[in-house]
Amino acid sequence: STTIKYSIPNVASSFSSSQIVQIKVYDILGKEISTLVNEQKSAGNYEVIFNAANLPSGIYFYKLQVGEFSEIKKMTLLK
């Protein structure tokens, strides 16, 4: 398992101070493996644990999406 840490910035909005956050894990072929986070969160620092015990060694990607912002990071799983 590994811990993915992320931060949600404080966005000035007259409607809501929280945003929908999604973190999804994909394999090297782009197939979705897991959804780690899919909920509304307010500004702050967070972490989520990704348990890969049932996955084979290889290259995986996780995508963090917060509102209009998205970022993809690569992970290498070695067993």
Side-chain angles (χ1 to χ4, degrees):
S1 67
T2 189
T3 302
I4 299 172
K5 297 180 181 182
Y6 60 99
S7 297
I8 307 299
N10 190 6
V11 177
S13 172
S14 59
F15 298 107
S16 175
S17 62
S18 61
Q19 299 185 46
I20 298 291
V21 176
Q22 288 185 334
I23 299 179
K24 295 185 178 187
V25 178
Y26 300 89
D27 66 11
I28 193 75
L29 299 175
K31 178 182 171 192
E32 185 178 322
I33 301 297
S34 177
T35 299
L36 303 178
V37 177
N38 187 18
E39 57 192 42
Q40 202 159 1
K41 294 199 176 272
S42 56
N45 297 316
Y46 299 93
E47 57 184 49
V48 63
I49 296 175
F50 173 53
N51 184 350
N54 60 341
L55 296 174
S57 295
I59 304 292
Y60 295 88
F61 298 91
Y62 68 91
K63 180 179 180 182
L64 167 66
Q65 184 155 358
V66 181
E68 299 293 318
F69 173 80
S70 70
E71 181 176 37
I72 299 173
K73 298 277 189 160
K74 182 169 84 169
M75 297 185 289
T76 303
L77 176 61
L78 299 174
K79 290 191 173 186

